[in-house]
Amino acid sequence: MSELDQKINEHFPGLVVRKDLVKTVKGNAIVPTYVLEYLLGQYCATNDEATIETGIETVKEILRKHYVHRNEAGLIRSTIREKGRHKVIDKVSVSLNDKRDVYEAEFANLGIKQVLVDTGTVKAHPKLLVSGVWCIADLEYEFTEDKDVSPWILATLKPIQLSHFDFDTYVEARKQFTTDEWIDLLIQSIGFNPEMFGRRSKLSQLLRLVPYCERNYNLIELGPKGTGKSHIYSEFSPHGILISGGEVSVPKLFVNNASGKIGLVGYWDVVAFDEFAGRKKKADKALVDILKNYMANKSFSRGVETLGAEASMVFVGNTQHTVPYMLKHADLFNELPEQYHDSAFLDRIHFYVPGWEVDIIRGEMFSDGYGFVVDYLAEILRSLRNHDYSDRYNDYFSLCTDISTRDRDGINKTFSGLMKILYPQGEASSEEIEEILKIAIEGRKRVKDQLMRLDSTYAEVRFVYESKSGESHAVKTLEEEEYPNYYYRIVGDGSDGEEVVVDGDTGAGETIVEDEHVTAETPGTITQATEIPTLEERHFVFQENQRGISYETLFGSYLKDATKITIVDPYIRAFYQIRNLMELLELITKIKPKENEVKVHVVTSKDPDGFKHEQQEENLQKISESALAIGIYLTWDYAKQNSIHARSITTNHGWKISLDRGLDIFQHYDMNDDLAFANRLQEARPCKAFEVTFLRSEK
């Protein structure tokens, strides 16, 4: 186990499970993750391998004997009849038979109905009345000739979820972890390997949890297919429900006026609409109107009566176009059905998760480390709904007075949710608080900036926060930094029928590099897929997940005409790091005259693992031999361990490029997929947060 896994098991004994075990036990059982982890938590919540192996077999046996497959329902019914009693795992829903004044259960996979349920069970578990709950139930069979009486008898019924937890113990244990360790624990808890994500990407994943710990929180995430947008809402928690297809009726969601039965918002903490996007989809205007009122006021009308609810609303959907395409031709909400592409509805959204920044899920991204049993974390998040952390930044920062009440509410709710998730103890440093405050502002700003494209009546807002020292900090979205020429335009019909382009608050084409403002045409500014046109001493800061960056746009102009190049980087060891070197040599080959030869010398460090060092040496030797044919002479030296502190590229014609991350500037991507553009084009890869400085040096 890693040091983090050991620490997790030490401070949360019996409440964590190894995340790869879910795949091991699932087989062909179509049950939610929280059901499997509930069972694994009963038998495998340990770090002892022998106990884990025994527990896995026990869970498999329980699923084999008691999980009801639809195609085996007849066999299970026969087993109950012959044995008289049998335990089953199935999804159970309950309805009131008002003609007989009794509650009746329906077992989804087993295919039986009208099973009597006592009132006490329904009162203890009211979600049985809405869409069903996964349960472990003991069923009995007793034949009767009375046609109105079901032969199926429910002996016991237990929803599969945690029975209790100690919140104070959870908070005390949190204090034993650093912020980075805690974030990695949470990422492992939702099933991912934290090593495959940068800081911003991790926080994007955790933002999906905010609706579970914040009442009446409205979140939208639009992005490419396959990024795991709906997973958190379908399998993570027994307190959330995912509506497939994104379509639901007013009575089902809010209240049935005929029966008086309250809908989904009255029973679930989170109601998520899957596949919400689709321009051609039709939506019930009455539903849109009542959603607007509920999202704004936490209430809805039933005839003359007004009811309230606490369910958070989540909307997830796929985008069909790239971000620059949407910004140039429409807006970032353009994929929504026409009825929802409405400024009054969208203004109720508290946060827009940029789904295009979330990488498509690959097998290597799943975790084999330890994380919370998801049902335990789900109960913790649910209990946090009773807390309010929205004012925790007031000791350090304040929001600009320009920010409206609705914008302020969105920012505060997101900030409160992230504080609960990351710092449930309620204490954080000013730097940590500033980090999540900026994220909260960015997500609401993304909503508001698009609203101003849709509706010119919205007033311009400065999304700025101020420190107690009086220093102002403007917040920008990442796509605002990446595509300034498109971000600030409003696309609409002018009086002459032509496109109308209106500049935003910082001016079309303007971008910010550190503290100086430079336009896209300013020499030295790096924009998408364009080389630096002139050689100047400059410093650049790049945000995590920024795209459109390549070695050519960064280094091409500075390496051109050099005949000797020295690369200092202690981490040219692993295969992907060796590949980075190879791609830099490809650039040098591309920009040098064919008749010229270039000497490239690498100063790196040995991999401490003997076997891996042999591979490192072998790979460097292969590149060296291959490079000879194209006029590049590659040599290398190994520096002493930890003796290299500054990473750089130096040329013999007067330039030194200082790199805080060396050549390792890209996020993880699938190097095994030859048909993925991220594998072929550096510009298609999201980058890590990094800085680069160009300095003149002695030749």
Side-chain angles (χ1 to χ4, degrees):
M1 288 195 298
S2 67
E3 290 184 12
L4 177 60
D5 286 337
Q6 292 175 6
K7 195 170 184 178
I8 292 169
N9 276 279
E10 176 187 350
H11 294 289
F12 292 100
L15 297 170
V16 295
V17 68
R18 220 176 69 201
K19 289 297 171 170
D20 58 326
L21 299 183
V22 175
K23 290 183 180 179
T24 303
V25 302
K26 189 164 189 176
N28 61 349
I30 309 173
V31 294
T33 299
Y34 65 81
V35 173
L36 294 176
E37 290 200 7
Y38 173 86
L39 296 173
L40 289 169
Q42 302 294 305
Y43 300 98
C44 303
T46 175
N47 61 349
D48 180 69
E49 286 297 328
T51 305
I52 288 175
E53 289 299 323
T54 303
I56 288 174
E57 293 306 313
T58 301
V59 173
K60 284 183 175 179
E61 186 69 7
I62 289 172
L63 288 174
R64 185 184 69 80
K65 286 184 175 180
H66 304 295
Y67 172 73
V68 179
H69 294 272
R70 289 181 185 274
N71 58 353
E72 297 179 352
L75 177 62
I76 299 297
R77 291 196 296 268
S78 174
T79 300
I80 298 171
R81 177 183 182 277
E82 298 302 322
K83 292 173 61 177
R85 183 178 181 131
H86 184 66
K87 190 185 296 293
V88 299
I89 297 175
D90 200 352
K91 190 172 185 179
V92 182
S93 58
V94 175
S95 60
L96 173 65
N97 185 332
D98 52 8
K99 293 181 179 179
R100 298 177 57 199
D101 191 30
V102 294
Y103 290 106
E104 297 176 339
E106 177 180 352
F107 287 70
N109 290 351
L110 191 57
I112 60 175
K113 302 179 180 179
Q114 298 179 322
V115 182
L116 293 181
V117 183
D118 65 276
T119 303
T121 299
V122 175
K123 287 183 177 179
H125 310 291
K127 286 183 183 176
L128 289 167
L129 293 165
V130 183
S131 297
V133 176
W134 283 90
C135 300
I136 297 177
D138 280 307
L139 281 173
E140 299 177 355
Y141 181 88
E142 185 176 317
F143 179 74
T144 174
E145 294 185 356
D146 188 343
K147 295 181 180 179
D148 295 327
V149 177
S150 172
W152 305 103
I153 301 170
L154 182 63
T156 64
L157 183 142
K158 181 183 178 182
I160 296 180
Q161 59 187 83
L162 205 67
S163 59
H164 68 279
F165 69 95
D166 187 340
F167 181 74
D168 292 334
T169 301
Y170 172 82
V171 171
E172 285 302 312
R174 161 64 183 95
K175 296 177 181 178
Q176 310 305 314
F177 292 78
T178 66
T179 299
D180 287 338
E181 288 174 338
W182 187 251
I183 289 174
D184 287 353
L185 165 54
L186 293 173
I187 292 296
Q188 287 185 178
S189 296
I190 59 178
F192 292 124
N193 179 0
E195 294 181 2
M196 303 300 294
F197 299 85
R199 176 81 166 205
R200 181 178 170 92
S201 296
K202 291 175 185 177
L203 293 176
S204 292
Q205 293 287 343
L206 298 183
L207 275 162
R208 294 169 171 172
L209 301 180
V210 174
Y212 287 106
C213 66
E214 195 70 21
R215 290 189 178 107
N216 301 104
Y217 184 74
N218 307 320
L219 180 80
I220 191 167
E221 179 176 355
L222 302 176
K225 297 178 181 178
T227 57
K229 292 185 288 294
S230 60
H231 169 76
I232 287 291
Y233 310 109
S234 63
E235 298 195 347
F236 178 78
S237 170
H239 305 305
I241 185 171
L242 182 71
I243 301 172
S244 299
E247 297 180 5
V248 65
S249 64
V250 172
K252 184 176 181 181
L253 186 60
F254 290 104
V255 67
N256 188 317
N257 284 341
S259 66
K261 183 179 178 182
I262 197 166
L264 299 175
V265 295
Y267 293 92
W268 298 93
D269 291 348
V270 178
V271 177
F273 293 75
D274 194 15
E275 300 173 8
F276 188 66
R279 292 291 291 172
K280 295 182 179 179
K281 285 187 176 181
K282 298 296 182 183
D284 181 0
K285 189 177 185 303
L287 176 62
V288 178
D289 290 339
I290 197 170
L291 262 176
K292 289 180 189 177
N293 186 62
Y294 174 74
M295 291 165 65
N297 305 316
K298 311 172 189 176
S299 62
F300 52 93
S301 297
R302 174 183 174 261
V304 296
E305 185 181 6
T306 299
L307 303 174
E310 299 179 354
S312 294
M313 310 300 287
V314 177
F315 308 93
V316 296
N318 298 326
T319 53
Q320 304 297 320
H321 301 290
T322 63
V323 173
Y325 182 95
M326 289 188 286
L327 289 174
K328 181 178 181 180
H329 297 284
D331 57 77
L332 297 180
F333 289 116
N334 189 54
E335 303 287 355
L336 299 185
E338 185 177 351
Q339 290 85 349
Y340 289 102
H341 197 254
D342 171 77
S343 59
F345 169 77
L346 297 174
D347 199 16
R348 272 72 170 169
I349 301 292
H350 295 128
F351 195 96
Y352 188 145
V353 178
W356 49 87
E357 288 188 37
V358 182
D359 206 355
I360 293 174
I361 304 302
R362 307 185 300 273
E364 65 196 55
M365 297 169 73
F366 294 108
S367 174
D368 59 1
Y370 284 80
F372 292 126
V373 174
V374 290
D375 195 49
Y376 172 69
L377 182 56
E379 293 303 319
I380 291 292
L381 293 174
R382 190 182 199 203
S383 71
L384 283 167
R385 292 170 77 89
N386 297 320
H387 300 259
D388 181 12
Y389 288 9
S390 60
D391 61 349
R392 299 302 170 94
Y393 65 83
N394 289 342
D395 290 339
Y396 303 99
F397 307 101
S398 60
L399 297 178
C400 174
T401 55
D402 282 7
I403 298 177
S404 69
T405 300
R406 184 163 284 171
D407 293 330
R408 195 176 295 263
D409 287 345
I411 293 167
N412 287 343
K413 289 179 78 68
T414 303
F415 176 84
S416 177
L418 282 177
M419 274 293 293
K420 294 174 187 178
I421 292 168
L422 300 181
Y423 310 103
Q425 71 276 25
E427 300 173 359
S429 68
S430 62
E431 292 79 10
E432 292 168 336
I433 285 176
E434 184 176 20
E435 178 185 34
I436 60 177
L437 179 61
K438 288 170 68 175
I439 291 171
I441 295 173
E442 180 186 342
R444 176 57 189 178
K445 184 180 191 296
R446 183 172 290 111
V447 173
K448 197 58 174 285
D449 286 351
Q450 302 312 304
L451 284 174
M452 289 191 289
R453 286 171 169 253
L454 291 170
D455 190 340
S456 60
T457 63
Y458 280 94
E460 197 171 293
V461 181
R462 292 189 310 123
F463 283 88
V464 173
Y465 66 95
E466 297 178 353
S467 60
K468 288 303 180 182
S469 63
E471 186 178 2
S472 295
H473 305 270
V475 175
K476 286 194 168 189
T477 65
L478 180 56
E479 59 271 17
E480 186 175 1
E481 300 274 17
E482 288 184 290
Y483 313 108
N485 289 337
Y486 301 139
Y487 194 85
Y488 300 110
R489 63 174 58 192
I490 298 175
V491 180
D493 293 327
S495 58
D496 56 357
E498 296 297 323
E499 182 185 76
V500 176
V501 179
V502 180
D503 293 349
D505 56 352
T506 58
E510 187 177 32
T511 187
I512 297 177
V513 180
E514 282 206 327
D515 293 326
E516 79 179 271
H517 290 253
V518 289
T519 64
E521 289 76 25
T522 300
T525 302
I526 296 178
T527 57
Q528 273 205 309
T530 59
E531 288 190 23
I532 301 174
T534 59
L535 304 184
E536 298 179 2
E537 288 192 334
R538 283 198 174 278
H539 179 75
F540 296 96
V541 179
F542 294 91
Q543 293 188 49
E544 184 179 321
N545 289 341
Q546 197 165 333
R547 297 177 190 262
I549 297 166
S550 69
Y551 288 164
E552 184 171 6
T553 60
L554 282 172
F555 312 134
S557 298
Y558 288 87
L559 299 182
K560 192 174 182 181
D561 298 328
T563 57
K564 291 183 180 180
I565 299 172
T566 301
I567 303 166
V568 180
D569 188 340
Y571 295 102
I572 302 182
R573 305 174 182 174
F575 179 78
Y576 79 91
Q577 295 165 340
I578 297 284
R579 173 165 168 156
N580 288 337
L581 174 63
M582 184 70 178
E583 291 184 340
L584 183 65
L585 296 180
E586 289 175 357
L587 167 63
I588 295 170
T589 303
K590 181 178 178 180
I591 62 177
K592 80 175 185 66
K594 291 182 179 180
E595 66 275 11
N596 286 6
E597 294 180 342
V598 179
K599 294 181 179 179
V600 177
H601 184 66
V602 174
V603 180
T604 187
S605 57
K606 289 183 180 180
D607 195 301
D609 184 307
F611 175 73
K612 290 181 179 178
H613 172 60
E614 290 180 9
Q615 292 181 316
Q616 177 187 17
E617 180 73 13
E618 181 181 342
N619 288 331
L620 288 171
Q621 188 62 43
K622 285 181 179 179
I623 294 176
S624 175
E625 293 171 358
S626 177
L628 286 173
I630 54 176
I632 294 180
Y633 293 85
L634 175 66
T635 58
W636 61 94
D637 285 326
Y638 297 113
K640 292 182 179 179
Q641 194 74 17
N642 299 323
S643 65
I644 302 176
H645 302 291
R647 307 175 198 184
S648 64
I649 301 173
T650 306
T651 72
N652 67 329
H653 67 337
W655 286 101
K656 181 175 182 178
I657 306 170
S658 177
L659 298 161
D660 65 338
R661 283 191 176 273
L663 299 180
D664 187 14
I665 64 173
F666 298 109
Q667 300 275 22
H668 287 278
Y669 60 94
D670 190 352
M671 291 189 293
N672 296 318
D673 187 354
D674 290 333
L675 301 181
F677 276 97
N679 193 14
R680 314 288 296 184
L681 290 173
Q682 291 183 332
E683 290 89 341
R685 303 170 193 166
C687 74
K688 299 176 180 178
F690 73 98
E691 299 182 19
V692 56
T693 305
F694 299 91
L695 300 168
R696 295 192 184 275
S697 64
E698 295 182 5
K699 295 183 181 180

